[in-house]
Amino acid sequence: MGYSLEHNEVHNKLSDSVSPQSFSFNVVQAGIKSSEEKLNRWGVSYFTRSNAYPSGAALLQTDRSQNITVFTELLKNERHQFRFNGTYRNLQVVRSIVPNLKADNSLLGRAEYQVNEWRGLVTGNVLYELGAGQEQKRDFAFLEVPAGQGEYTWIDYNNNGIKELNEFEISRFPDQSKFVRIFRTTNQFIRSNFTGINQNLTLNAASLFKDSKKSFQIFLKKLSNITALRVDKRVLGVGALAFNPYQTNVANDKLLSYNSYFRNSLFFDRQNPVFGLDINYQQNGSKILLTNGFDSRNRTESSVRLRWNFIRKANFMVEFKQGDKQYLSELFSANNYKIKFYETVPEFSYQFTNNFKTILSGGLSTQQNAGEYGGESTLNFRISSEIKYNLLKKGIFSARANSINNQFEGKNNSSVGYEMLDGLQPGNNLTWNVGFQRTISNGIQLNFTYEGRKSADVRAIHTGGMQVRAFF
């Protein structure tokens, strides 16, 4: 149990009033908890707080809150462990002295579960959070920075010389990276409820059938699977708390922001240095409420990757991808797109010596925008060559050259055109880069980079840079 009090009261004799800096509060608290020495422990605590603020010639009570916190940790079982912490708060307004202070009921909670079962066959963890609060409405703007230090580029699509918000794209090249996006808060506050969950699950059959000689079990122990999920959702704080983080069909007039990430990877013979196969599925999504409406991005991708080291120094890999990517904006509807894509990426590498390696790769991809958003399409063919050379005690040298042919149908001077062409032009394109990295002393690293590109009927662009890193 405990009691605390603080009273700061300053009077202004000329005006016979209390100074605005004056305040007072008192706290009464009590609690009970189990022994800290136990692996399974729990606790409950309660406190109430009263606040007083200036009003004329006196300090008057404005509000009182009651708070209850419950926690538990169940750690005795090494294979299953659980932690929980939750707080409930009730706020009562006694006098309306403080602007925007309203009666409130809020809940804040965090739960975590870890599992390691059947000798490591199943391992994973779940982290769940929920709560309530207030956040400001946001808008964004673009700020110009030195080339190479930003993330966005400006393309004057309508040739009016004005930097409009719908003319900024995520840059593909360092020389174009001249802008950063900054969020500007407004003076409008919104009460919000949030829920979030982060899950990871690994299935590894090899840990269960490690010493098995049976043919079916030998096959099973070559399989493993990794699943990851992350969801963060914020909705308007009206009505009951949204406990379910998986619920995605939230009405636009209630949703504030939504971010999700899901990835599942199934591996066959992952530890085999000669052969391996993996099947992947990934889904990313985001939606945010700005002052002028919603802005959302979604990407779904499925892929199959095969690797084969058919001789000791050579490695062959091929990857097949298919999926779709979507951008929707209520304010900049002309930039909306929904693109379906297919891609094949073969790669061959050969390690001549411990210090010298060469890589040859290619790529064939098709993209098709939905008809209601313009119907643009592209066929992309790429050939790449890369070398890496480790100069003993001197540094690492690398060089890469790409020949890219884009067959594009549609208006390339547009947001969707920039997305489908990766910042290049229709027809033949060349890109190249050279780098040298050297550690000149303990903790000091020096990097030289040079990049260039050339598109049909466009002059070549060259970019060079130097960077010094110090590690402490």
Side-chain angles (χ1 to χ4, degrees):
M1 298 183 66
Y3 175 78
S4 61
L5 168 69
E6 184 170 347
H7 189 91
N8 292 282
E9 186 172 349
V10 179
H11 281 269
N12 189 325
K13 293 182 178 181
L14 295 178
S15 60
D16 190 25
S17 63
V18 178
S19 169
Q21 287 75 34
S22 301
F23 67 91
S24 176
F25 71 84
N26 65 80
V27 178
V28 179
Q29 57 185 354
I32 183 174
K33 64 180 180 179
S34 62
S35 172
E36 293 288 344
E37 298 178 356
K38 294 183 179 181
L39 292 177
N40 289 349
R41 42 188 179 260
W42 57 270
V44 179
S45 64
Y46 165 84
F47 76 88
T48 178
R49 171 170 172 151
S50 295
N51 294 305
Y53 293 101
S55 178
L59 286 175
L60 300 179
Q61 183 185 7
T62 58
D63 62 86
R64 180 184 180 186
S65 66
Q66 301 187 67
N67 307 265
I68 300 176
T69 298
V70 179
F71 80 88
T72 184
E73 293 184 349
L74 306 178
L75 309 178
K76 190 174 182 179
N77 188 333
E78 295 182 353
R79 297 190 300 272
H80 300 270
Q81 297 189 341
F82 177 75
R83 295 176 176 87
F84 171 79
N85 188 296
T87 299
Y88 170 76
R89 178 174 183 259
N90 173 262
L91 176 65
Q92 299 174 337
V93 178
V94 179
R95 292 181 179 87
S96 300
I97 297 176
V98 179
N100 301 321
L101 182 63
K102 298 179 180 180
D104 183 37
N105 288 291
S106 59
L107 182 66
L108 184 67
R110 175 187 173 100
E112 184 177 5
Y113 172 70
Q114 294 177 315
V115 60
N116 188 338
E117 192 59 271
W118 298 300
R119 292 183 294 176
L121 172 65
V122 179
T123 60
N125 64 78
V126 180
L127 175 63
Y128 173 76
E129 296 176 301
L130 84 159
Q134 285 190 341
E135 60 182 76
Q136 291 174 292
K137 280 190 173 182
R138 297 187 298 176
D139 197 357
F140 66 89
F142 292 91
L143 180 66
E144 189 168 3
V145 296
Q149 297 184 16
E151 298 178 358
Y152 290 82
T153 183
W154 171 53
I155 303 174
D156 192 7
Y157 291 129
N158 55 14
N159 298 314
N160 65 354
I162 300 175
K163 295 181 177 65
E164 300 175 24
L165 291 178
N166 62 333
E167 296 179 335
F168 289 87
E169 307 290 347
I170 297 176
S171 177
R172 302 312 201 264
F173 306 104
D175 64 284
Q176 295 181 342
S177 304
K178 298 180 179 181
F179 296 88
V180 294
R181 188 167 76 165
I182 58 173
F183 283 97
R184 301 180 299 187
T185 56
T186 69
N187 58 0
Q188 302 178 46
F189 286 84
I190 304 175
R191 176 169 172 77
S192 65
N193 296 332
F194 68 87
T195 53
I197 193 165
N198 195 330
Q199 294 178 274
N200 293 278
L201 179 66
T202 300
L203 304 177
N204 187 11
S207 60
L208 189 62
F209 305 117
K210 186 175 181 180
D211 301 319
S212 176
K213 303 298 182 182
K214 297 181 180 180
S215 57
F216 181 66
Q217 294 179 352
I218 291 175
F219 171 78
L220 285 180
K221 72 180 184 180
K222 294 182 178 182
L223 297 175
S224 61
N225 191 88
I226 298 176
T227 303
L229 170 68
R230 184 176 66 252
V231 177
D232 179 18
K233 180 175 64 177
R234 295 177 183 271
V235 299
L236 284 175
V238 292
L241 281 173
F243 288 92
N244 184 5
Y246 304 109
Q247 183 182 3
T248 59
N249 57 338
V250 180
N252 281 349
D253 59 347
K254 294 183 179 180
L255 184 66
L256 296 178
S257 68
Y258 180 83
N259 291 281
S260 66
Y261 169 83
F262 175 79
R263 182 179 176 87
N264 188 84
S265 298
L266 175 64
F267 301 94
F268 177 77
D269 236 0
R270 188 182 185 186
Q271 304 299 327
N272 191 329
V274 177
F275 175 82
L277 175 71
D278 56 82
I279 302 172
N280 304 286
Y281 176 81
Q282 181 171 317
Q283 187 175 37
N284 295 2
S286 67
K287 189 173 185 178
I288 185 171
L289 175 64
L290 301 172
T291 55
N292 295 309
F294 279 100
D295 192 275
S296 66
R297 292 181 183 272
N298 293 281
R299 181 184 177 97
T300 302
E301 180 180 302
S302 303
S303 66
V304 178
R305 188 179 67 151
L306 171 70
R307 58 177 179 83
W308 181 28
N309 297 354
F310 51 88
I311 57 178
R312 187 171 63 89
K313 294 185 177 182
N315 178 50
F316 174 75
M317 187 273 292
V318 62
E319 185 172 17
F320 305 95
K321 302 178 183 179
Q322 72 90 24
D324 58 75
K325 47 189 176 181
Q326 184 179 39
Y327 172 73
L328 296 176
S329 172
E330 290 186 341
L331 178 62
F332 307 122
S333 58
N335 292 356
N336 293 351
Y337 60 75
K338 185 177 182 181
I339 300 172
K340 194 166 189 65
F341 63 89
Y342 300 87
E343 185 176 7
T344 302
V345 183
E347 178 181 290
F348 174 78
S349 63
Y350 190 84
Q351 189 88 34
F352 287 92
T353 67
N354 291 335
N355 298 325
F356 183 68
K357 179 181 181 180
T358 183
I359 302 172
L360 297 175
S361 63
L364 178 64
S365 66
T366 63
Q367 300 182 80
Q368 178 69 55
N369 191 20
E372 61 267 31
Y373 300 122
E376 295 88 349
S377 64
T378 182
L379 175 65
N380 171 279
F381 181 70
R382 174 181 58 83
I383 298 177
S384 302
S385 176
E386 182 178 1
I387 61 171
K388 295 182 179 180
Y389 187 45
N390 187 1
L391 301 170
L392 187 62
K393 297 183 179 181
K394 292 184 178 181
I396 301 174
F397 173 83
S398 63
R400 181 184 177 95
N402 307 284
S403 176
I404 304 162
N405 180 266
N406 293 319
Q407 299 179 23
F408 180 75
E409 293 184 6
K411 183 180 179 181
N412 63 298
N413 188 32
S414 63
S415 179
V416 66
Y418 188 86
E419 172 69 27
M420 298 177 73
L421 294 170
D422 279 332
L424 297 174
Q425 298 295 322
N428 295 319
N429 300 264
L430 294 174
T431 65
W432 58 90
N433 61 74
V434 178
F436 180 72
Q437 181 185 100
R438 181 176 181 179
T439 302
I440 55 180
S441 65
N442 292 334
I444 305 296
Q445 189 179 88
L446 185 64
N447 292 304
F448 293 95
T449 59
Y450 162 67
E451 297 186 8
R453 66 182 184 275
K454 177 71 173 70
S455 299
D457 302 324
V458 178
R459 64 181 180 85
I461 297 176
H462 306 273
T463 306
M466 183 182 73
Q467 185 180 68
V468 179
R469 294 181 179 178
F471 302 93
F472 301 97

